[in-house]
């Protein structure tokens, strides 16, 4: 039945802290592109956020912030579906069914779990461990084929495909009757992994304790300038060839950010700044970042204060998401023999 929808996009962002240019360049900017071509669904994944403790007072604000960031960045609620994950109970229902399809051995290989749990493995939540099954549920619940994400989500897409395939096999839904399509990640060639401004080996992250590591949606221009001025680099001159970047993670990161914001290829950026001072490069980097982020920030701040509007968008989005997911969860239950 629902397989006649060929190209559907699904992606999500966790409301777990301040959004930054890593989220923007790695994911949200791509959402804006794809909404014109595909049936697009962009979720605010609050059930994922609570796999790590969230202050209940702040979680609601963070949900509104992600909605504001989506729309401020250019997602059009008339074109795309924007909604909150916990408002569609079928995400959790399907996740349970997929918990019974997914294998412990697969989860044990997840590098993101290993990184997040660290030495604390015995003390983190069970939710954090089965997080990839919930993510598979998000995507498969809509029979999405395409998933725009940053590079860090690649492995979660692989396990989603494994789960889909096993479900199809276990329930005799392979070949022409394949029930779940196997989704493909859409990862941009530039800035799919934006690194911390203070450490070129570490991903820019919402959860880093230092705000100086990231440029946030709400940062004023002077703060952006300060963060870029203080961004870590090395003592060498500006690079003259792309191969130098492999050994120079910090400047590599800044050049990637420049390239993503300016639309110029990495080679072009290298040629432009070869022989120039680092301070000149950093000053131009501030310009390209501010040029794109300033209007987004204005709109973001305006929208955050218009909760009535955002809640209406999220309510309408929930209705659209329900209409798309109801037939799929019902069919899953019938395939599995439930109810
Ligand atoms: P989250 O909330 O950590 O990040 C949201 C999106 O931003 C991307 N991203 C980055 N891209 C480049 N550089 C960075 N430093 C950077 N940091 C984050 C992420 O790759 C992501 O695309 N598991 C997901 C949320 C999720 C989801 C889904 C995504 C839940 N269900 C279904 C797609 C489909 C996550 O933690 O994203």
């Amino acid at each position: 039945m629902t397989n006649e929808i060929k190209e559907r996009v699904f992606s999500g962002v966790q409301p777990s802290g301040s959004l930054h240019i890593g989220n923007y360049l790695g994911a949200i900017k791509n959402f804006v592109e794809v909404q014109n071509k595909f049936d697009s669904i962009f979720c605010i994944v609050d059930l994922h956020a609570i796999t790590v403790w969230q202050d209940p007072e702040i979680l609601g604000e963070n949900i509104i912030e992600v909605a504001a960031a989506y729309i401020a960045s250019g997602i059009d609620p008339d074109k795309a579906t924007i909604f909150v994950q916990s408002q569609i109970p079928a995400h959790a229902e399907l996740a349970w069914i997929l918990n019974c399809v997914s294998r412990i051995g697969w989860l044990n290989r997840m590098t993101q779990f290993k990184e997040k749990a660290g030495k604390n493995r015995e003390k983190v939540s069970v939710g954090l461990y089965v997080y990839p099954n919930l993510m598979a549920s998000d995507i498969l619940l809509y029979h999405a084929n395409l998933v725009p994400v940053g590079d860090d989500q690649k492995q979660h897409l692989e396990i989603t495909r494994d789960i889909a395939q096993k479900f199809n096999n276990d329930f005799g839904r392979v070949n022409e009757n394949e029930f779940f399509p196997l989704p493909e990640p859409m990862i941009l060639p530039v800035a799919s992994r934006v690194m911390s401004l203070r450490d070129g080996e570490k991903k820019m992250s919402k959860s880093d304790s230092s705000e100086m590591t990231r440029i946030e949606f709400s940062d004023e221009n002077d703060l952006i300038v300060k963060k870029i001025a203080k961004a870590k680099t090395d003592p060498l001159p500006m690079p003259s060839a792309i191969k130098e970047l492999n050994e120079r993670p910090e400047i590599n990161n800044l050049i990637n950010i420049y390239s993503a914001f300016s639309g110029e290829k990495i080679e072009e950026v290298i040629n432009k700044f070869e022989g120039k001072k680092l301070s000149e490069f950093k000053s131009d980097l501030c310009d390209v970042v501010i040029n794109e982020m300033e209007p987004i920030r204005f709109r973001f701040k305006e929208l955050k204060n218009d909760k009535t509007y955002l809640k209406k968008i999220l309510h309408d989005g929930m209705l659209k998401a329900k209409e798309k997911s109801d037939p799929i969860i019902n069919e899953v239950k019938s395939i599995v023999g439930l109810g």
Side-chain angles (χ1 to χ4, degrees):
M1 40 148 295
T2 28
N3 274 347
E4 75 272 9
I5 301 164
K6 283 284 175 279
E7 303 280 69
R8 181 175 273 171
V9 163
F10 183 97
S11 197
V13 172
Q14 293 193 63
S16 53
S18 302
L19 296 184
H20 50 73
I21 58 165
N23 302 122
Y24 177 69
L25 295 176
I28 301 173
K29 195 171 167 157
N30 206 7
F31 298 175
V32 178
E33 280 292 307
V34 299
Q35 68 177 345
N36 297 318
K37 296 191 210 123
F38 306 107
D39 175 20
S40 300
I41 308 170
F42 302 119
C43 188
I44 301 167
V45 290
D46 54 350
L47 295 175
H48 278 93
I50 61 163
T51 55
V52 173
W53 190 81
Q54 303 289 325
D55 185 335
E57 304 276 323
I58 298 175
L59 183 57
E61 291 297 316
N62 284 343
I63 291 171
I64 288 291
E65 282 210 2
V66 177
Y70 276 171
I71 298 170
S73 301
I75 296 174
D76 178 350
D78 289 331
K79 287 185 191 158
T81 303
I82 303 176
F83 77 105
V84 181
Q85 186 184 31
S86 65
Q87 292 184 1
I88 302 285
H91 284 256
E93 262 181 297
L94 180 58
W96 180 259
I97 295 169
L98 299 183
N99 278 342
C100 304
V101 174
S102 181
R103 304 288 98 177
I104 286 183
W106 300 352
L107 292 174
N108 285 343
R109 285 201 286 275
M110 294 295 115
T111 52
Q112 197 152 87
F113 175 75
K114 288 183 198 159
E115 276 164 24
K116 286 199 174 170
K119 293 193 193 86
N120 223 6
R121 214 183 147 99
E122 297 289 313
K123 297 222 172 105
V124 294
S125 75
V126 175
L128 192 68
Y129 184 64
V130 294
Y131 179 115
N133 297 343
L134 177 59
M135 182 159 159
S137 161
D138 299 338
I139 299 166
L140 300 177
L141 182 59
Y142 298 89
H143 280 186
N145 326 78
L146 299 167
V147 185
V149 278
D151 181 72
D152 61 335
Q153 298 301 316
K154 225 177 183 166
Q155 200 184 26
H156 288 157
L157 258 295
E158 282 161 19
I159 194 173
T160 299
R161 293 166 62 87
D162 289 341
I163 293 170
Q165 204 150 28
K166 182 157 172 23
F167 182 97
N168 291 341
N169 277 324
D170 286 357
F171 297 99
R173 293 305 183 114
V174 281
N175 304 327
E176 74 277 11
N177 285 327
E178 189 158 273
F179 180 68
F180 284 131
L182 305 187
E184 298 284 346
M186 296 173 96
I187 297 178
L188 292 173
V190 176
S192 64
R193 192 175 184 83
V194 177
M195 308 309 277
S196 156
L197 298 179
R198 311 294 286 177
D199 179 352
E201 313 275 2
K202 240 170 91 183
K203 207 179 61 174
M204 185 177 283
S205 157
K206 299 182 202 111
S207 54
D208 198 299
S209 57
S210 163
E211 285 175 18
M212 293 303 284
T213 59
R214 57 181 176 261
I215 294 170
E216 299 177 0
F217 271 65
S218 52
D219 284 351
E220 301 287 334
N221 295 349
D222 52 356
L223 187 54
I224 296 178
V225 171
K226 186 172 159 201
K227 287 180 177 178
I228 291 178
K230 290 203 177 248
K232 190 179 163 201
T233 44
D234 55 47
L236 299 172
M238 288 299 292
S240 55
I242 208 162
K243 63 177 189 308
E244 281 176 53
L245 297 180
N246 293 334
E247 267 99 65
R248 302 180 59 187
E250 280 86 17
I251 198 74
N252 184 13
N253 186 39
L254 297 182
I255 287 179
N256 263 275
I257 295 174
Y258 188 101
S259 163
F261 276 113
S262 67
E264 292 165 35
K265 293 201 179 80
I266 302 282
E267 293 89 333
E268 288 168 357
V269 182
I270 289 179
N271 292 339
K272 190 167 178 180
F273 292 100
E274 186 187 354
K276 301 237 167 85
K277 286 204 182 110
L278 174 69
S279 56
E280 203 173 324
F281 167 67
K282 280 192 167 181
S283 157
D284 282 15
L285 178 60
C286 291
D287 292 346
V288 292
V289 175
I290 289 171
N291 185 39
E292 189 151 336
M293 293 313 289
E294 186 180 44
I296 293 179
R297 180 179 74 248
F298 286 151
R299 185 92 182 101
F300 176 65
K301 289 197 166 163
E302 206 173 72
L303 282 162
K304 269 201 314 187
N305 292 326
D306 196 349
K307 290 208 175 83
T308 316
Y309 168 73
L310 291 177
K311 286 194 171 157
K312 162 97 174 63
I313 297 292
L314 294 175
H315 179 75
D316 293 349
M318 179 272 288
L319 295 177
K320 285 199 274 175
K322 188 168 156 44
E323 203 177 295
K324 293 176 204 274
S325 58
D326 269 354
I328 300 180
I329 189 68
N330 289 338
E331 206 174 343
V332 169
K333 287 185 185 167
S334 142
I335 290 172
V336 176
L338 296 170

